[in-house]
Amino acid sequence: MSQVQDILKRDMELFFKDLECDYKISKDSSDINLVADFTEYNPLHNGHFHCMKTAKHHFPNSLFVAVVPGLFERSGRGIPYILPRELRAKIAISVGADIVVEGPPMGIMGSGQYSLCLCKMFKALNTSHIPRGYKKVAGFDEILKRINMGHHIAPKPYKIVDKTTGEILLKDKLEEDNYVITSFANSLSKIGFDFKDKFLFVERIEGVSGTLIRQSIMEDNFTNVLNMMPSETVEVLKQAIKDDSIIYGIRDVDSILNTANNFTFEQLAGLNLFNEKLAKNIVDNRSFDNLNDLKESILFGFSTHYKERILSILENPIKKSVVSEYIDGYPSNIRILGYKNEECLKKFKHKVNNENISLF
């Protein structure tokens, strides 16, 4: 618990430090081809590795940059990561990434908010190509084709729309990985980033189970998942278990309960992802002695993992107005979590469109 509390305290300081930092346009320019991939690496498995290898094969003389979400160590589902980001970056570098940079704080944002931040990061990196894994399903090939034509594709409830032509391309819900692609293309269009012919879509491989991998970590027994991850991932996981560095499922319970029990209605309603109805329900049902009772007072929201996201907000209580200000200035600082060598670091600094580059 103390390790998680230390991480969250450190990251809250980094968040507000970034908030106060002004985006500075870099005067350098470079013709280096930069391939940027966004992924959580939670942990890095053969699916991620396949996407990386495919991108490096297609663009062999490029700088491969992995954008790994960082602050507060909470996933897009609001759930604590398995490994802290410095270890996730270490694995990425060991299997072929040239640079790993810290992405937006997914766990305290809505999906649209962090999608927008990601796109702003890709723009700041002067990204040349974007590899992205997808699951092959009926009707999705046409969507991928339109995206690589540079069309503005937008996900709507139960349909996907080509806003460039006004056509409805699909009347159905998309699986998570495929939905992320359409949401990403939508946000790139909104910020005016030309992504025509920049995506490299890589079909997902079979035989990787996140559930089995997480189970193997909790049981410290990797026998059944050795063929699902690079050996480098397994080695880091085993060492993290020995060092007690696995943070999966561990929350700062005291902070969550303190926020839920002591914030006023107005303070709760003003938090990111909160509304008055949710704030009132928490106030009306408190005080809470444990997370299970608190969860019962969190109304079901727009996603399966809504309750976990709300716990992450209570754990790191930041006003929605402050998050909006943070998004407006993102990325004010590009934090490097890891790099292959000094030559790669030098090339990276010449390529990106931001003078504020720091090492984690």
Side-chain angles (χ1 to χ4, degrees), residues 235-296:
E235 289 173 11
V236 170
L237 286 170
K238 287 181 176 179
Q239 189 60 50
I241 292 171
K242 290 180 181 178
D243 297 339
D244 199 24
S245 297
I246 301 294
I247 58 175
Y248 180 67
I250 303 175
R251 289 193 178 276
D252 184 354
V253 178
D254 290 343
S255 290
I256 294 172
L257 294 179
N258 179 64
T259 303
N261 287 329
N262 296 311
F263 269 41
T264 65
F265 166 80
E266 289 76 14
Q267 287 175 315
L268 287 172
L271 295 178
N272 200 41
L273 303 188
F274 268 68
N275 55 39
E276 291 188 352
K277 187 175 181 180
L278 174 59
K280 184 177 185 302
N281 217 50
I282 289 177
V283 170
D284 288 348
N285 288 279
R286 63 191 188 190
S287 292
F288 304 103
D289 296 321
N290 57 72
L291 293 191
N292 287 333
D293 289 346
L294 173 57
K295 276 187 174 183
E296 290 298 317

Short mmCIF file of all heavy atoms in Angstrom, two decimals, residues 235-296:
data_model
loop_
_atom_site.label_atom_id
_atom_site.label_comp_id
_atom_site.label_asym_id
_atom_site.label_seq_id
_atom_site.Cartn_x
_atom_site.Cartn_y
_atom_site.Cartn_z
N GLU A 235 10.78 -12.29 -17.45
CA GLU A 235 11.89 -12.02 -16.53
C GLU A 235 11.60 -10.81 -15.64
O GLU A 235 11.85 -10.83 -14.43
CB GLU A 235 13.18 -11.78 -17.33
CG GLU A 235 13.74 -13.03 -17.99
CD GLU A 235 14.92 -12.72 -18.90
OE1 GLU A 235 15.41 -11.58 -18.85
OE2 GLU A 235 15.32 -13.61 -19.67
N VAL A 236 11.07 -9.74 -16.24
CA VAL A 236 10.76 -8.54 -15.46
C VAL A 236 9.63 -8.82 -14.48
O VAL A 236 9.67 -8.37 -13.32
CB VAL A 236 10.38 -7.36 -16.39
CG1 VAL A 236 9.83 -6.19 -15.59
CG2 VAL A 236 11.60 -6.91 -17.19
N LEU A 237 8.63 -9.58 -14.89
CA LEU A 237 7.52 -9.92 -14.00
C LEU A 237 8.00 -10.74 -12.81
O LEU A 237 7.60 -10.48 -11.66
CB LEU A 237 6.45 -10.69 -14.77
CG LEU A 237 5.57 -9.88 -15.73
CD1 LEU A 237 4.73 -10.81 -16.59
CD2 LEU A 237 4.68 -8.91 -14.97
N LYS A 238 8.85 -11.72 -13.06
CA LYS A 238 9.36 -12.55 -11.97
C LYS A 238 10.16 -11.72 -10.97
O LYS A 238 10.02 -11.89 -9.75
CB LYS A 238 10.23 -13.68 -12.53
CG LYS A 238 9.44 -14.78 -13.23
CD LYS A 238 10.37 -15.88 -13.73
CE LYS A 238 9.58 -17.03 -14.35
NZ LYS A 238 10.47 -18.11 -14.87
N GLN A 239 10.96 -10.80 -11.49
CA GLN A 239 11.74 -9.94 -10.60
C GLN A 239 10.84 -8.97 -9.83
O GLN A 239 11.06 -8.69 -8.66
CB GLN A 239 12.78 -9.15 -11.41
CG GLN A 239 13.78 -8.38 -10.56
CD GLN A 239 14.60 -9.28 -9.66
OE1 GLN A 239 15.17 -10.28 -10.10
NE2 GLN A 239 14.66 -8.95 -8.37
N ALA A 240 9.79 -8.49 -10.50
CA ALA A 240 8.86 -7.57 -9.84
C ALA A 240 8.12 -8.27 -8.70
O ALA A 240 7.85 -7.65 -7.66
CB ALA A 240 7.85 -7.03 -10.86
N ILE A 241 7.82 -9.54 -8.89
CA ILE A 241 7.18 -10.31 -7.81
C ILE A 241 8.12 -10.41 -6.62
O ILE A 241 7.72 -10.22 -5.46
CB ILE A 241 6.77 -11.69 -8.32
CG1 ILE A 241 5.62 -11.57 -9.34
CG2 ILE A 241 6.34 -12.59 -7.16
CD1 ILE A 241 5.28 -12.85 -10.06
N LYS A 242 9.39 -10.68 -6.89
CA LYS A 242 10.38 -10.77 -5.81
C LYS A 242 10.56 -9.45 -5.10
O LYS A 242 10.73 -9.39 -3.88
CB LYS A 242 11.73 -11.24 -6.37
CG LYS A 242 11.77 -12.68 -6.84
CD LYS A 242 13.16 -13.03 -7.38
CE LYS A 242 13.21 -14.48 -7.88
NZ LYS A 242 14.54 -14.80 -8.44
N ASP A 243 10.50 -8.35 -5.89
CA ASP A 243 10.71 -7.00 -5.32
C ASP A 243 9.43 -6.39 -4.75
O ASP A 243 9.45 -5.25 -4.28
CB ASP A 243 11.27 -6.06 -6.40
CG ASP A 243 12.64 -6.50 -6.91
OD1 ASP A 243 13.32 -7.25 -6.19
OD2 ASP A 243 13.01 -6.08 -8.03
N ASP A 244 8.33 -7.14 -4.82
CA ASP A 244 7.04 -6.65 -4.36
C ASP A 244 6.63 -5.38 -5.12
O ASP A 244 6.11 -4.42 -4.55
CB ASP A 244 7.07 -6.37 -2.86
CG ASP A 244 5.67 -6.31 -2.24
OD1 ASP A 244 4.75 -6.91 -2.83
OD2 ASP A 244 5.50 -5.66 -1.20
N SER A 245 6.87 -5.40 -6.45
CA SER A 245 6.57 -4.24 -7.29
C SER A 245 5.32 -4.41 -8.13
O SER A 245 5.03 -3.58 -8.99
CB SER A 245 7.76 -3.95 -8.22
OG SER A 245 8.91 -3.61 -7.48
N ILE A 246 4.59 -5.50 -7.92
CA ILE A 246 3.33 -5.69 -8.62
C ILE A 246 2.27 -4.81 -7.96
O ILE A 246 2.04 -4.92 -6.75
CB ILE A 246 2.87 -7.17 -8.57
CG1 ILE A 246 3.94 -8.08 -9.21
CG2 ILE A 246 1.52 -7.33 -9.25
CD1 ILE A 246 4.13 -7.89 -10.68
N ILE A 247 1.64 -3.94 -8.73
CA ILE A 247 0.67 -3.00 -8.15
C ILE A 247 -0.75 -3.31 -8.60
O ILE A 247 -1.68 -2.54 -8.30
CB ILE A 247 1.03 -1.54 -8.49
CG1 ILE A 247 1.08 -1.34 -10.02
CG2 ILE A 247 2.36 -1.16 -7.86
CD1 ILE A 247 1.30 0.12 -10.43
N TYR A 248 -0.96 -4.41 -9.29
CA TYR A 248 -2.26 -4.76 -9.83
C TYR A 248 -3.31 -4.90 -8.71
O TYR A 248 -3.11 -5.63 -7.74
CB TYR A 248 -2.19 -6.07 -10.61
CG TYR A 248 -3.50 -6.51 -11.20
CD1 TYR A 248 -4.10 -5.78 -12.23
CD2 TYR A 248 -4.15 -7.65 -10.74
CE1 TYR A 248 -5.31 -6.17 -12.78
CE2 TYR A 248 -5.35 -8.06 -11.29
CZ TYR A 248 -5.93 -7.31 -12.30
OH TYR A 248 -7.14 -7.70 -12.84
N GLY A 249 -4.41 -4.18 -8.85
CA GLY A 249 -5.50 -4.29 -7.89
C GLY A 249 -5.30 -3.55 -6.58
O GLY A 249 -6.19 -3.55 -5.72
N ILE A 250 -4.15 -2.91 -6.41
CA ILE A 250 -3.86 -2.23 -5.14
C ILE A 250 -4.27 -0.75 -5.24
O ILE A 250 -3.80 -0.03 -6.11
CB ILE A 250 -2.37 -2.33 -4.77
CG1 ILE A 250 -1.94 -3.80 -4.70
CG2 ILE A 250 -2.11 -1.64 -3.43
CD1 ILE A 250 -0.45 -3.99 -4.46
N ARG A 251 -5.13 -0.33 -4.33
CA ARG A 251 -5.59 1.05 -4.31
C ARG A 251 -5.26 1.73 -2.99
O ARG A 251 -5.04 1.05 -1.97
CB ARG A 251 -7.11 1.11 -4.52
CG ARG A 251 -7.57 0.76 -5.93
CD ARG A 251 -9.01 1.17 -6.10
NE ARG A 251 -9.53 0.92 -7.45
CZ ARG A 251 -9.38 1.74 -8.49
NH1 ARG A 251 -8.69 2.86 -8.34
NH2 ARG A 251 -9.91 1.46 -9.67
N ASP A 252 -5.27 3.05 -3.02
CA ASP A 252 -5.12 3.84 -1.80
C ASP A 252 -6.53 3.98 -1.19
O ASP A 252 -7.22 4.98 -1.41
CB ASP A 252 -4.52 5.20 -2.12
CG ASP A 252 -4.25 6.04 -0.88
OD1 ASP A 252 -4.64 5.60 0.23
OD2 ASP A 252 -3.66 7.12 -1.00
N VAL A 253 -6.93 2.95 -0.45
CA VAL A 253 -8.29 2.88 0.08
C VAL A 253 -8.60 4.07 1.00
O VAL A 253 -9.69 4.64 0.96
CB VAL A 253 -8.51 1.55 0.82
CG1 VAL A 253 -9.91 1.50 1.43
CG2 VAL A 253 -8.29 0.37 -0.12
N ASP A 254 -7.63 4.44 1.83
CA ASP A 254 -7.86 5.54 2.78
C ASP A 254 -8.21 6.84 2.05
O ASP A 254 -9.12 7.57 2.46
CB ASP A 254 -6.61 5.76 3.64
CG ASP A 254 -6.39 4.62 4.62
OD1 ASP A 254 -7.34 3.85 4.86
OD2 ASP A 254 -5.26 4.50 5.15
N SER A 255 -7.48 7.12 0.95
CA SER A 255 -7.75 8.35 0.20
C SER A 255 -9.12 8.31 -0.46
O SER A 255 -9.84 9.32 -0.47
CB SER A 255 -6.67 8.56 -0.86
OG SER A 255 -5.43 8.89 -0.27
N ILE A 256 -9.49 7.15 -1.00
CA ILE A 256 -10.79 7.01 -1.66
C ILE A 256 -11.92 7.26 -0.67
O ILE A 256 -12.84 8.04 -0.92
CB ILE A 256 -10.94 5.61 -2.28
CG1 ILE A 256 -9.94 5.43 -3.42
CG2 ILE A 256 -12.37 5.39 -2.79
CD1 ILE A 256 -9.87 4.02 -3.97
N LEU A 257 -11.84 6.60 0.50
CA LEU A 257 -12.89 6.75 1.51
C LEU A 257 -12.91 8.16 2.09
O LEU A 257 -13.98 8.71 2.39
CB LEU A 257 -12.69 5.72 2.62
CG LEU A 257 -12.87 4.25 2.21
CD1 LEU A 257 -12.61 3.32 3.40
CD2 LEU A 257 -14.26 4.00 1.63
N ASN A 258 -11.74 8.75 2.24
CA ASN A 258 -11.67 10.12 2.76
C ASN A 258 -12.38 11.10 1.83
O ASN A 258 -13.15 11.96 2.27
CB ASN A 258 -10.21 10.54 2.94
CG ASN A 258 -10.09 11.97 3.46
OD1 ASN A 258 -10.49 12.28 4.57
ND2 ASN A 258 -9.52 12.84 2.64
N THR A 259 -12.14 10.95 0.52
CA THR A 259 -12.80 11.83 -0.45
C THR A 259 -14.31 11.61 -0.44
O THR A 259 -15.10 12.56 -0.40
CB THR A 259 -12.27 11.56 -1.88
OG1 THR A 259 -10.85 11.73 -1.89
CG2 THR A 259 -12.90 12.51 -2.88
N ALA A 260 -14.72 10.34 -0.46
CA ALA A 260 -16.15 10.02 -0.49
C ALA A 260 -16.88 10.48 0.76
O ALA A 260 -18.02 10.95 0.71
CB ALA A 260 -16.35 8.52 -0.69
N ASN A 261 -16.20 10.39 1.92
CA ASN A 261 -16.86 10.71 3.19
C ASN A 261 -16.81 12.18 3.55
O ASN A 261 -17.68 12.67 4.29
CB ASN A 261 -16.22 9.89 4.32
CG ASN A 261 -16.62 8.43 4.26
OD1 ASN A 261 -17.71 8.08 3.82
ND2 ASN A 261 -15.72 7.55 4.70
N ASN A 262 -15.81 12.91 3.05
CA ASN A 262 -15.57 14.26 3.55
C ASN A 262 -15.73 15.39 2.54
O ASN A 262 -15.86 16.55 2.94
CB ASN A 262 -14.18 14.34 4.18
CG ASN A 262 -14.04 13.43 5.39
OD1 ASN A 262 -14.89 13.44 6.28
ND2 ASN A 262 -12.99 12.63 5.42
N PHE A 263 -15.71 15.08 1.25
CA PHE A 263 -15.92 16.14 0.27
C PHE A 263 -17.38 16.59 0.33
O PHE A 263 -18.29 15.78 0.53
CB PHE A 263 -15.59 15.65 -1.14
CG PHE A 263 -14.16 15.89 -1.56
CD1 PHE A 263 -13.12 15.68 -0.67
CD2 PHE A 263 -13.86 16.32 -2.85
CE1 PHE A 263 -11.81 15.89 -1.05
CE2 PHE A 263 -12.55 16.54 -3.24
CZ PHE A 263 -11.52 16.33 -2.34
N THR A 264 -17.61 17.87 0.14
CA THR A 264 -18.98 18.39 0.08
C THR A 264 -19.64 17.95 -1.22
O THR A 264 -18.96 17.48 -2.15
CB THR A 264 -18.99 19.92 0.15
OG1 THR A 264 -18.34 20.45 -1.03
CG2 THR A 264 -18.27 20.43 1.40
N PHE A 265 -20.94 18.12 -1.28
CA PHE A 265 -21.66 17.80 -2.51
C PHE A 265 -21.08 18.56 -3.70
O PHE A 265 -20.86 18.01 -4.77
CB PHE A 265 -23.15 18.14 -2.35
CG PHE A 265 -23.91 18.15 -3.64
CD1 PHE A 265 -24.33 16.96 -4.22
CD2 PHE A 265 -24.18 19.35 -4.29
CE1 PHE A 265 -25.02 16.97 -5.43
CE2 PHE A 265 -24.87 19.37 -5.49
CZ PHE A 265 -25.29 18.17 -6.06
N GLU A 266 -20.81 19.86 -3.49
CA GLU A 266 -20.29 20.70 -4.57
C GLU A 266 -18.91 20.22 -5.01
O GLU A 266 -18.59 20.22 -6.21
CB GLU A 266 -20.20 22.17 -4.13
CG GLU A 266 -21.55 22.87 -3.98
CD GLU A 266 -22.30 22.46 -2.70
OE1 GLU A 266 -21.66 21.85 -1.80
OE2 GLU A 266 -23.50 22.75 -2.62
N GLN A 267 -18.07 19.83 -4.04
CA GLN A 267 -16.73 19.34 -4.38
C GLN A 267 -16.80 18.04 -5.17
O GLN A 267 -16.07 17.86 -6.15
CB GLN A 267 -15.90 19.14 -3.11
CG GLN A 267 -15.45 20.42 -2.44
CD GLN A 267 -14.74 20.16 -1.12
OE1 GLN A 267 -15.20 19.35 -0.31
NE2 GLN A 267 -13.62 20.83 -0.90
N LEU A 268 -17.68 17.13 -4.76
CA LEU A 268 -17.83 15.87 -5.48
C LEU A 268 -18.38 16.10 -6.89
O LEU A 268 -17.88 15.54 -7.87
CB LEU A 268 -18.75 14.92 -4.71
CG LEU A 268 -18.18 14.28 -3.44
CD1 LEU A 268 -19.27 13.53 -2.69
CD2 LEU A 268 -17.03 13.33 -3.78
N ALA A 269 -19.40 16.93 -6.99
CA ALA A 269 -20.02 17.19 -8.30
C ALA A 269 -19.05 17.84 -9.27
O ALA A 269 -19.20 17.72 -10.49
CB ALA A 269 -21.26 18.06 -8.12
N GLY A 270 -18.04 18.52 -8.74
CA GLY A 270 -17.07 19.22 -9.58
C GLY A 270 -15.92 18.36 -10.05
O GLY A 270 -15.08 18.81 -10.84
N LEU A 271 -15.85 17.09 -9.58
CA LEU A 271 -14.76 16.20 -9.98
C LEU A 271 -14.95 15.70 -11.40
O LEU A 271 -16.08 15.59 -11.89
CB LEU A 271 -14.66 15.01 -9.02
CG LEU A 271 -14.29 15.32 -7.57
CD1 LEU A 271 -14.29 14.04 -6.75
CD2 LEU A 271 -12.92 16.00 -7.49
N ASN A 272 -13.86 15.37 -12.06
CA ASN A 272 -13.94 14.85 -13.42
C ASN A 272 -14.78 13.56 -13.46
O ASN A 272 -14.67 12.71 -12.56
CB ASN A 272 -12.53 14.57 -13.96
CG ASN A 272 -12.49 14.50 -15.47
OD1 ASN A 272 -13.13 15.30 -16.15
ND2 ASN A 272 -11.75 13.56 -16.01
N LEU A 273 -15.59 13.43 -14.48
CA LEU A 273 -16.49 12.29 -14.70
C LEU A 273 -17.70 12.27 -13.77
O LEU A 273 -18.59 11.43 -13.92
CB LEU A 273 -15.77 10.93 -14.60
CG LEU A 273 -14.57 10.70 -15.51
CD1 LEU A 273 -14.11 9.25 -15.42
CD2 LEU A 273 -14.89 11.06 -16.96
N PHE A 274 -17.76 13.18 -12.79
CA PHE A 274 -18.89 13.22 -11.86
C PHE A 274 -20.01 14.10 -12.41
O PHE A 274 -19.80 14.98 -13.23
CB PHE A 274 -18.44 13.79 -10.50
CG PHE A 274 -18.00 12.75 -9.51
CD1 PHE A 274 -16.83 12.02 -9.72
CD2 PHE A 274 -18.74 12.48 -8.37
CE1 PHE A 274 -16.42 11.07 -8.82
CE2 PHE A 274 -18.34 11.53 -7.45
CZ PHE A 274 -17.17 10.81 -7.67
N ASN A 275 -21.22 13.82 -11.92
CA ASN A 275 -22.36 14.71 -12.15
C ASN A 275 -23.10 14.85 -10.82
O ASN A 275 -22.75 14.22 -9.82
CB ASN A 275 -23.27 14.16 -13.24
CG ASN A 275 -23.74 12.74 -12.96
OD1 ASN A 275 -24.04 12.38 -11.82
ND2 ASN A 275 -23.79 11.91 -14.00
N GLU A 276 -24.10 15.69 -10.80
CA GLU A 276 -24.81 15.97 -9.55
C GLU A 276 -25.53 14.74 -9.01
O GLU A 276 -25.60 14.53 -7.80
CB GLU A 276 -25.80 17.11 -9.75
CG GLU A 276 -25.13 18.46 -9.99
CD GLU A 276 -26.11 19.61 -10.01
OE1 GLU A 276 -27.34 19.34 -9.98
OE2 GLU A 276 -25.66 20.77 -10.04
N LYS A 277 -26.07 13.92 -9.89
CA LYS A 277 -26.79 12.72 -9.46
C LYS A 277 -25.87 11.76 -8.73
O LYS A 277 -26.21 11.22 -7.67
CB LYS A 277 -27.41 12.02 -10.67
CG LYS A 277 -28.32 10.87 -10.32
CD LYS A 277 -29.00 10.30 -11.56
CE LYS A 277 -29.93 9.16 -11.21
NZ LYS A 277 -30.60 8.60 -12.42
N LEU A 278 -24.66 11.54 -9.27
CA LEU A 278 -23.69 10.65 -8.63
C LEU A 278 -23.22 11.24 -7.31
O LEU A 278 -23.14 10.53 -6.30
CB LEU A 278 -22.49 10.42 -9.56
CG LEU A 278 -21.32 9.63 -8.98
CD1 LEU A 278 -21.76 8.24 -8.52
CD2 LEU A 278 -20.21 9.51 -10.02
N ALA A 279 -22.93 12.53 -7.29
CA ALA A 279 -22.48 13.18 -6.07
C ALA A 279 -23.54 13.08 -4.97
O ALA A 279 -23.23 12.79 -3.80
CB ALA A 279 -22.14 14.64 -6.34
N LYS A 280 -24.79 13.30 -5.34
CA LYS A 280 -25.88 13.24 -4.36
C LYS A 280 -26.03 11.82 -3.80
O LYS A 280 -26.26 11.65 -2.60
CB LYS A 280 -27.19 13.68 -5.00
CG LYS A 280 -28.39 13.73 -4.04
CD LYS A 280 -29.63 14.25 -4.73
CE LYS A 280 -30.78 14.42 -3.73
NZ LYS A 280 -31.13 13.17 -3.02
N ASN A 281 -25.89 10.83 -4.64
CA ASN A 281 -26.04 9.45 -4.20
C ASN A 281 -24.96 9.07 -3.19
O ASN A 281 -25.22 8.36 -2.21
CB ASN A 281 -25.99 8.51 -5.40
CG ASN A 281 -26.94 7.34 -5.25
OD1 ASN A 281 -28.11 7.52 -4.95
ND2 ASN A 281 -26.43 6.14 -5.42
N ILE A 282 -23.74 9.56 -3.41
CA ILE A 282 -22.65 9.28 -2.48
C ILE A 282 -22.90 10.01 -1.16
O ILE A 282 -22.76 9.42 -0.07
CB ILE A 282 -21.29 9.68 -3.09
CG1 ILE A 282 -20.92 8.71 -4.23
CG2 ILE A 282 -20.19 9.70 -2.02
CD1 ILE A 282 -19.64 9.05 -4.94
N VAL A 283 -23.28 11.27 -1.23
CA VAL A 283 -23.54 12.05 -0.01
C VAL A 283 -24.69 11.44 0.79
O VAL A 283 -24.62 11.33 2.01
CB VAL A 283 -23.85 13.52 -0.37
CG1 VAL A 283 -24.36 14.27 0.85
CG2 VAL A 283 -22.60 14.20 -0.93
N ASP A 284 -25.73 11.01 0.09
CA ASP A 284 -26.91 10.46 0.78
C ASP A 284 -26.64 9.12 1.46
O ASP A 284 -27.37 8.75 2.40
CB ASP A 284 -28.06 10.29 -0.22
CG ASP A 284 -28.67 11.62 -0.64
OD1 ASP A 284 -28.36 12.64 0.00
OD2 ASP A 284 -29.43 11.63 -1.63
N ASN A 285 -25.65 8.39 0.98
CA ASN A 285 -25.40 7.04 1.51
C ASN A 285 -24.17 6.93 2.41
O ASN A 285 -23.87 5.83 2.88
CB ASN A 285 -25.27 6.04 0.35
CG ASN A 285 -26.59 5.76 -0.33
OD1 ASN A 285 -27.39 4.97 0.14
ND2 ASN A 285 -26.82 6.43 -1.45
N ARG A 286 -23.47 8.00 2.61
CA ARG A 286 -22.27 7.90 3.45
C ARG A 286 -22.65 7.98 4.93
O ARG A 286 -23.78 8.38 5.26
CB ARG A 286 -21.26 8.98 3.06
CG ARG A 286 -21.68 10.42 3.26
CD ARG A 286 -20.67 11.32 2.58
NE ARG A 286 -20.89 12.74 2.88
CZ ARG A 286 -20.27 13.74 2.26
NH1 ARG A 286 -19.39 13.48 1.31
NH2 ARG A 286 -20.51 14.99 2.59
N SER A 287 -21.78 7.54 5.87
CA SER A 287 -20.35 7.32 5.66
C SER A 287 -20.05 5.88 5.25
O SER A 287 -20.78 4.96 5.60
CB SER A 287 -19.59 7.63 6.94
OG SER A 287 -19.63 9.01 7.22
N PHE A 288 -18.90 5.71 4.57
CA PHE A 288 -18.50 4.41 4.06
C PHE A 288 -17.30 3.89 4.84
O PHE A 288 -16.36 4.63 5.10
CB PHE A 288 -18.16 4.50 2.58
CG PHE A 288 -19.26 5.06 1.74
CD1 PHE A 288 -19.21 6.38 1.28
CD2 PHE A 288 -20.37 4.30 1.40
CE1 PHE A 288 -20.21 6.92 0.50
CE2 PHE A 288 -21.39 4.82 0.62
CZ PHE A 288 -21.32 6.14 0.17
N ASP A 289 -17.35 2.60 5.17
CA ASP A 289 -16.23 1.97 5.89
C ASP A 289 -15.35 1.13 4.97
O ASP A 289 -14.24 0.75 5.35
CB ASP A 289 -16.77 1.06 7.01
CG ASP A 289 -17.51 1.85 8.08
OD1 ASP A 289 -17.05 2.96 8.40
OD2 ASP A 289 -18.55 1.36 8.56
N ASN A 290 -15.86 0.80 3.78
CA ASN A 290 -15.11 -0.05 2.87
C ASN A 290 -15.50 0.26 1.43
O ASN A 290 -16.52 0.91 1.17
CB ASN A 290 -15.34 -1.53 3.19
CG ASN A 290 -16.81 -1.90 3.14
OD1 ASN A 290 -17.41 -1.96 2.07
ND2 ASN A 290 -17.41 -2.12 4.32
N LEU A 291 -14.71 -0.24 0.49
CA LEU A 291 -14.94 0.05 -0.93
C LEU A 291 -16.19 -0.63 -1.47
O LEU A 291 -16.85 -0.10 -2.37
CB LEU A 291 -13.72 -0.38 -1.77
CG LEU A 291 -12.43 0.41 -1.56
CD1 LEU A 291 -11.41 0.05 -2.63
CD2 LEU A 291 -12.67 1.91 -1.56
N ASN A 292 -16.52 -1.81 -0.94
CA ASN A 292 -17.70 -2.51 -1.44
C ASN A 292 -18.97 -1.71 -1.20
O ASN A 292 -19.84 -1.60 -2.07
CB ASN A 292 -17.81 -3.89 -0.78
CG ASN A 292 -16.79 -4.86 -1.32
OD1 ASN A 292 -16.33 -4.74 -2.45
ND2 ASN A 292 -16.41 -5.85 -0.51
N ASP A 293 -19.09 -1.14 0.01
CA ASP A 293 -20.27 -0.31 0.30
C ASP A 293 -20.29 0.93 -0.58
O ASP A 293 -21.35 1.36 -1.07
CB ASP A 293 -20.27 0.10 1.78
CG ASP A 293 -20.59 -1.07 2.71
OD1 ASP A 293 -21.07 -2.11 2.20
OD2 ASP A 293 -20.36 -0.95 3.92
N LEU A 294 -19.12 1.52 -0.79
CA LEU A 294 -19.03 2.70 -1.64
C LEU A 294 -19.43 2.38 -3.07
O LEU A 294 -20.17 3.13 -3.71
CB LEU A 294 -17.61 3.26 -1.60
CG LEU A 294 -17.29 4.42 -2.56
CD1 LEU A 294 -18.23 5.59 -2.32
CD2 LEU A 294 -15.83 4.85 -2.39
N LYS A 295 -18.96 1.25 -3.57
CA LYS A 295 -19.30 0.84 -4.95
C LYS A 295 -20.80 0.72 -5.15
O LYS A 295 -21.33 1.02 -6.23
CB LYS A 295 -18.63 -0.50 -5.28
CG LYS A 295 -17.19 -0.38 -5.75
CD LYS A 295 -16.69 -1.75 -6.22
CE LYS A 295 -15.31 -1.64 -6.82
NZ LYS A 295 -14.84 -2.95 -7.34
N GLU A 296 -21.51 0.28 -4.10
CA GLU A 296 -22.96 0.14 -4.21
C GLU A 296 -23.64 1.48 -4.42
O GLU A 296 -24.75 1.55 -4.95
CB GLU A 296 -23.51 -0.53 -2.94
CG GLU A 296 -23.13 -1.99 -2.79
CD GLU A 296 -23.67 -2.86 -3.91
OE1 GLU A 296 -24.85 -2.66 -4.28
OE2 GLU A 296 -22.92 -3.71 -4.42
#
